[in-house]
Amino acid sequence: MRVKLEPDTAFIGKKFAYIFLGIIFGLNAIIFVWFFLFSNLN
């Protein structure tokens, strides 16, 4: 049971890490575009 549980936990952890990094890079991209448009307005 423990041998079967560890790969699932590692897969969930890796999936959560990809989602977490995706959210961070997504927010950074949105902020970068927002500053770029804001600087063009001024």
Side-chain angles (χ1 to χ4, degrees), residues 29-39:
I30 292 169
I31 292 170
F32 179 75
V33 170
W34 185 78
F35 275 116
F36 182 73
L37 293 174
F38 186 72
S39 63

Side-chain angles (χ1 to χ4, degrees), residues 4-18:
K4 183 180 181 182
L5 190 66
E6 285 180 353
D8 292 334
T9 304
F11 178 74
I12 292 170
K14 186 181 288 185
K15 186 177 182 180
F16 178 75
Y18 281 130

Side-chain angles (χ1 to χ4, degrees), residues 14-30:
K14 186 181 288 185
K15 186 177 182 180
F16 178 75
Y18 281 130
I19 293 171
F20 186 71
L21 289 173
I23 291 171
I24 291 174
F25 284 120
L27 289 175
N28 284 329
I30 292 169

